């Protein structure tokens, strides 16, 4: 949601801003705009719709001249997608141009106050109050104005601000919304994430909340709210440009599905040393682990589905009670937490508003926060006591694949790490588990080699109106993810059900030809799931079974079978999910859907 890019240097800003914004398209948006200082004033171009409309309007940026500018892709929250509501917003005199990602929660009272002082508003956005506040507080010193503005606004913001009286610099700040600073050679940048500027530099600063950055062509200075300079550590991003490009694939989603073996290796290998799981990243001691009373796992969407797997795995291996909650519910359910509870927060982007708010809620109750995050330096990572990063690399497709898989891997590592510390595993069991975790990337690779089988099945079913996924225990947890993957990108209605629950109502929806995808990979409950498959078959369902190479009885009941390699029971979700990701992808592709950017969705959901 909303993407920001800013540039100052020796080159023309507008083409660089448009290029950077194109790398942020995946975040989701419905309008775009740029503001450039053209030697005299701030020139703004905005357009509703795709970035290509703005590119056309500005002759690919060539029509807006100047070497300092800010750009924005807007995902509408306050006010419909329209030219006037798009960013950048100008202050009344045109002296300030502002781009904003986040939500200003007290904008209504600020708007009233500013209206009373004669400021006129032309948009419905919360952002316009910021432009006017700059004007109101400006006394010739832009830094002063910035501090006053951030002292007045409540909520979340990443802001890029141009002032026509400062032709050689622009200023930016962030709080609870993402923004990084890119350090180039005689050029500097701000961006919502590194993918936007990777082509120009890999050296970056992460900003903490309310750090204000002043960017000139040849210098970058960061200040705290007391206007004291803060010396920042420079990070060099080790992804190259190709990590954020399609590299010959038709869609990012397929590229990312194929990248899963590597992402898993990168996430798992550095954390296994001499046959032991080493979680250097976290400060939880054995004593802390023994004192854990209860674990909460809090997340949204697919990350929540990782949590559902986590509940089964951690409870089984560690015998600690685990409660999984969607973040948007957790924060409002007055959770019963105390300081002996561990809250595991899972997020690819590290900036999901509900997840971040849930984290803060848990922290207020004194819980310790361990987060599993993909984006280094993100708000959720920064707010946690401990972070374990998933080394999945940039994930561009809206539908997550490699981030989900690496989150699962981290859950397994945490579960086995804690189980070992709690004395719940014999040394043989521990060694076997580690060996199986290490073999996951190869097994995923093996499944991907026969992806055409899944493509064939997709070609048989892409016209379905409704598809059910069923499974028990871990298979149920993966069913949820399979169902979400399918529906979000193919727009086919789909539901995931615990296999034993169908007959309590949902089975009435099964009729001749309804496709049921039945996951039966676990040994213990295999026969029970097979019985449920028979129940739906008896009502006319067509069944696609997903099972392991160990199980043969599935052939007798299912119409189609997809087999995955065998592994430790707890690790099966990592393998089961792969054919389901492929199925969703191929169905959406056959339907001609916009796979990487499904309708109505944004990659990072920074609003409640
Ligand atoms: C679905 C998907 C979403 C995200 C959810 C949480 O494919 O990607 O359901 O999992 O929006 O996002 P993060 O993990 O960034 O907090």
């Amino acid at each position: 949601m909303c993407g920001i890019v800013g540039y100052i240097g020796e080159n023309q800003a507008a083409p660089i801003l448009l290029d950077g914004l194109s790398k942020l398209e995946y975040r989701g948006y419905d309008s775009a705009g740029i503001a450039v200082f053209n030697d005299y004033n701030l020139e703004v171009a905005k357009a509703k719709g795709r970035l290509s409309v703005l590119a056309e309007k500005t002759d690919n940026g060539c029509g807006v001249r100047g070497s300092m500018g800010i750009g924005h892709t807007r995902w509408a929250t306050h006010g419909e997608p329209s030219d006037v509501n798009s960013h950048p917003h100008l202050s009344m005199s045109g002296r300030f141009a502002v781009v904003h990602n986040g939500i200003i929660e007290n904008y209504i009272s600020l708007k009233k106050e500013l209206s009373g002082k004669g400021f006129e508003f032309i948009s419905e956005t919360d952002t316009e109050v910021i432009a006017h506040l700059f004007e109101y507080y400006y006394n010739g010193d832009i830094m002063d104005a910035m501090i006053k503005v951030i002292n007045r606004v409540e909520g979340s913001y990443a802001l890029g601000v141009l002032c026509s009286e400062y032709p050689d610099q622009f200023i930016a700040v962030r709080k609870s919304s993402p923004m990084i600073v890119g350090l180039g050679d005689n050029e500097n940048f701000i961006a919502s994430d590194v993918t936007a500027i990777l082509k120009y530099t890999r050296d970056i600063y992460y900003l903490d909340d309310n750090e204000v950055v002043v960017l000139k062509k040849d210098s970058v200075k960061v200040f705290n709210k007391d206007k004291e300079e803060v010396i920042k550590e420079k990070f060099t991003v080790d992804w190259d440009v190709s990590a954020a490009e399609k590299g010959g694939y038709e869609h990012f989603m397929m590229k990312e599905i194929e990248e899963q073996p590597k992402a898993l290796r990168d996430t798992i290998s550095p954390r296994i040393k001499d046959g032991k799981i080493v979680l250097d990243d976290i400060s939880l001691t054995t004593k802390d682990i023994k004192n854990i009373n209860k674990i909460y796992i809090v997340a949204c969407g697919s990350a929540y589905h990782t949590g559902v797997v986590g509940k089964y795995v951690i409870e089984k291996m560690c015998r600690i009670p685990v409660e999984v909650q969607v973040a948007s519910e957790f924060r409002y359910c007055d959770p019963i937490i105390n300081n002996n509870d561990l809250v595991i927060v899972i997020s690819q982007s590290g900036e999901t508003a509900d997840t971040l708010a849930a984290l803060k809620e848990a922290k207020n109750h004194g819980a310790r926060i361990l987060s599993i995050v993909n984006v280094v330096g993100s708000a959720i990572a920064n707010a946690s006591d401990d972070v374990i990063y998933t080394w999945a690399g940039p994930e561009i497709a809206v539908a997550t694949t490699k981030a989900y898989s690496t989150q699962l891997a981290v859950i397994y590592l945490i579960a086995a790490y804690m189980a070992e510390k709690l004395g719940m595993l014999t040394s043989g069991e521990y060694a076997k588990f580690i060996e199986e975790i290490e073999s996951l990337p190869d097994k995923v690779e093996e499944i991907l080699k026969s992806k055409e089988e899944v493509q064939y099945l997709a070609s048989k079913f892409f016209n379905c109106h409704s598809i059910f996924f069923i499974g028990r225990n871990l298979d149920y947890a993966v069913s949820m993810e399979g169902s979400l993957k399918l529906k979000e990108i193919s727009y086919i209605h789909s539901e995931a059900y615990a296999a034993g629950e169908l007959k309590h109502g949902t089975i009435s929806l099964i009729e001749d030809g309804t496709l049921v995808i039945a996951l039966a990979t676990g040994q213990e409950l295999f026969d029970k799931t097979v019985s449920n498959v028979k129940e739906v078959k008896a009502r006319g369902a067509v069944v696609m079974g997903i099972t392991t190479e160990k199980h043969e009885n599935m052939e007798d009941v299912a119409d189609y079978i997809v087999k995955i390699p065998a592994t430790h029971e707890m690790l099966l979700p990592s393998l089961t999910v792969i054919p389901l990701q492929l199925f969703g992808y191929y169905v959406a592709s056959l339907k001609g859907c916009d796979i990487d950017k499904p309708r109505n969705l944004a990659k990072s959901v920074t609003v409640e």
Side-chain angles (χ1 to χ4, degrees):
M1 279 175 181
C2 296
I4 289 178
V5 184
Y7 173 81
I8 184 164
E10 292 181 332
N11 295 305
Q12 286 302 306
I16 293 174
L17 297 176
L18 291 175
D19 177 60
L21 291 178
S22 74
K23 303 290 185 303
L24 299 177
E25 280 191 289
Y26 76 92
R27 295 172 65 83
Y29 72 105
D30 32 45
S31 61
I34 55 174
V36 172
F37 181 70
N38 67 10
D39 284 344
Y40 303 100
N41 52 30
L42 302 176
E43 197 174 333
V44 175
K46 322 201 241 191
K48 178 184 161 185
R50 290 286 187 206
L51 204 51
S52 52
V53 183
L54 180 65
E56 204 174 308
K57 204 168 179 178
T58 59
D59 188 15
N60 287 318
C62 300
V64 189
R65 311 279 309 162
S67 53
M68 171 173 81
I70 49 179
H72 189 267
T73 44
R74 170 174 186 257
W75 193 86
T77 54
H78 297 64
E80 59 171 8
S82 67
D83 287 5
V84 74
N85 285 334
S86 325
H87 302 208
H89 288 282
L90 287 176
S91 62
M92 246 168 74
S93 67
R95 191 188 280 147
F96 290 96
V98 175
V99 287
H100 167 221
N101 174 14
I103 301 260
I104 302 304
E105 285 161 6
N106 59 338
Y107 87 100
I108 293 179
S109 61
L110 289 171
K111 196 167 176 173
K112 261 194 204 138
E113 179 185 327
L114 288 162
S115 299
K117 295 183 195 305
F119 285 88
E120 280 167 26
F121 287 79
I122 56 168
S123 80
E124 298 158 88
T125 65
D126 52 341
T127 304
E128 201 181 355
V129 297
I130 301 176
H132 291 330
L133 274 179
F134 265 96
E135 190 76 59
Y136 177 63
Y137 284 120
Y138 184 62
N139 58 4
D141 183 335
I142 192 173
M143 176 60 88
D144 256 0
M146 174 64 104
I147 304 294
K148 286 180 179 137
V149 171
I150 60 179
N151 279 335
R152 290 299 313 277
V153 293
E154 288 162 18
S156 57
Y157 44 82
L159 298 175
V161 183
L162 295 183
C163 175
S164 58
E165 290 183 13
Y166 284 78
D168 65 339
Q169 62 178 264
F170 74 100
I171 190 163
V173 69
R174 65 165 285 266
K175 185 186 150 228
S176 301
S177 279
M179 177 185 286
I180 51 103
V181 180
L183 311 165
D185 190 9
N186 254 341
E187 56 182 3
N188 292 303
F189 308 80
I190 53 167
S192 295
D193 74 46
V194 282
T195 52
I197 56 165
L198 219 44
K199 194 159 145 191
Y200 310 98
T201 180
R202 290 201 274 144
D203 291 336
I204 60 166
Y205 286 159
Y206 292 109
L207 295 176
D208 287 331
D209 276 359
N210 282 326
E211 283 182 342
V212 179
V213 56
V214 177
L215 297 102
K216 295 187 177 177
K217 173 171 92 172
D218 50 5
S219 74
V220 170
K221 288 194 171 161
V222 179
F223 299 88
N224 63 20
K225 262 175 129 180
D226 297 324
K227 295 201 264 181
E228 294 158 347
E229 189 172 350
V230 181
I231 304 304
K232 301 295 290 181
E233 188 184 348
K234 185 170 86 182
F235 286 85
T236 301
V237 178
D238 56 7
W239 310 335
D240 56 16
V241 178
S242 67
E245 292 190 339
K246 279 192 198 149
Y249 285 89
E250 198 181 341
H251 300 105
F252 277 109
M253 184 173 174
M254 183 48 90
K255 177 176 179 249
E256 289 161 7
I257 288 175
E258 295 267 13
E259 281 172 352
Q260 289 179 107
K262 177 179 180 325
L264 283 167
R265 273 183 205 109
D266 291 350
T267 302
I268 295 167
S269 310
R271 293 172 172 132
I272 296 181
K273 291 182 191 133
D274 303 324
K276 276 196 161 293
I277 295 170
V278 182
L279 297 181
D280 286 337
D281 345 40
I282 62 172
S283 58
L284 269 183
T285 61
T286 304
K287 189 168 162 233
D288 295 333
I289 294 170
K290 287 187 172 153
N291 281 340
I292 295 174
N293 171 50
K294 183 171 179 184
I295 296 177
Y296 285 87
I297 305 183
V298 184
C300 300
S302 294
Y304 165 77
H305 297 157
T306 304
V308 181
V309 172
K311 173 180 167 66
Y312 286 109
V313 174
I314 296 172
E315 286 191 342
K316 187 100 179 163
M317 294 181 68
C318 306
R319 307 310 296 157
I320 299 175
V322 180
E323 193 172 321
V324 200
Q325 280 242 12
V326 285
S328 52
E329 287 298 311
F330 178 86
R331 55 187 295 203
Y332 296 118
C333 71
D334 198 5
I336 305 166
I337 321 177
N338 63 43
N339 47 11
N340 283 333
D341 295 335
L342 175 68
V343 176
I344 301 180
V345 173
I346 308 176
S347 174
Q348 185 283 129
S349 61
E351 56 176 284
T352 304
D354 282 319
T355 311
L356 182 60
L359 182 159
K360 288 179 178 162
E361 172 75 20
K363 228 175 166 175
N364 289 341
H365 283 76
R368 185 182 186 124
I369 314 291
L370 165 60
S371 65
I372 302 173
V373 175
N374 195 42
V375 177
V376 176
S378 54
I380 290 175
N382 286 345
S384 304
D385 296 304
D386 290 305
V387 189
I388 303 185
Y389 284 108
T390 48
W391 298 121
E395 192 178 63
I396 309 291
V398 163
T400 182
T401 52
K402 60 177 181 170
Y404 170 83
S405 282
T406 50
Q407 288 163 359
L408 284 184
V410 171
I411 282 289
Y412 303 146
L413 292 170
I414 293 173
Y417 180 81
M418 295 203 305
E420 198 264 340
K421 302 278 179 226
L422 294 169
M424 305 294 291
L425 292 174
T426 64
S427 57
E429 286 166 341
Y430 183 57
K432 181 72 189 147
F433 193 79
I434 290 178
E435 190 189 312
E436 289 291 339
I437 294 185
E438 285 184 301
S439 73
L440 283 177
D442 290 348
K443 290 181 179 170
V444 170
E445 221 151 47
E446 198 182 320
I447 301 171
L448 289 172
K449 274 190 199 137
S450 39
K451 59 180 188 295
E452 285 73 21
E453 278 177 36
V454 181
Q455 188 174 22
Y456 165 73
L457 293 171
S459 74
K460 294 196 88 61
F461 296 112
F462 74 98
N463 277 326
C464 288
H465 293 296
S466 186
I467 298 179
F468 290 84
F469 288 74
I470 59 168
R472 285 167 178 265
N473 275 13
L474 285 170
D475 282 329
Y476 171 48
V478 184
S479 295
M480 295 166 112
E481 177 59 8
S483 170
L484 177 60
K485 228 53 333 159
L486 176 78
K487 71 184 125 193
E488 68 181 327
I489 56 172
S490 74
Y491 317 141
I492 293 178
H493 166 257
S494 164
E495 291 183 39
Y497 264 86
E501 181 66 13
L502 269 189
K503 55 180 149 317
H504 299 289
T506 315
I507 203 161
S508 65
L509 295 173
I510 305 291
E511 51 188 18
D512 265 353
T514 305
L515 178 62
V516 174
I517 301 185
L519 278 58
T521 64
Q523 184 57 39
E524 210 179 314
L525 296 169
F526 181 80
D527 292 338
K528 302 235 178 262
T529 307
V530 166
S531 302
N532 300 131
V533 167
K534 287 183 180 156
E535 286 161 11
V536 293
K537 284 276 319 160
R539 271 105 193 146
V542 176
V543 174
M544 183 195 302
I546 316 264
T547 189
T548 76
E549 59 199 8
K550 269 194 344 204
H551 295 108
E552 274 161 19
N553 308 2
M554 198 75 178
E555 270 87 342
D556 304 339
V557 282
D559 301 278
Y560 304 92
I561 301 272
V562 176
K563 292 226 166 178
I564 56 165
T567 184
H568 190 289
E569 290 268 313
M570 294 293 112
L571 305 179
L572 281 163
S574 285
L575 306 183
T576 321
V577 76
I578 307 296
L580 302 186
Q581 294 170 342
L582 290 167
F583 186 73
Y585 174 86
Y586 285 125
V587 166
S589 161
L590 287 160
K591 288 189 72 190
C593 299
D594 189 352
I595 293 186
D596 286 337
K597 292 185 227 110
R599 67 184 179 210
N600 307 335
L601 293 178
K603 180 69 180 164
S604 50
V605 185
T606 51
V607 296
E608 198 180 321

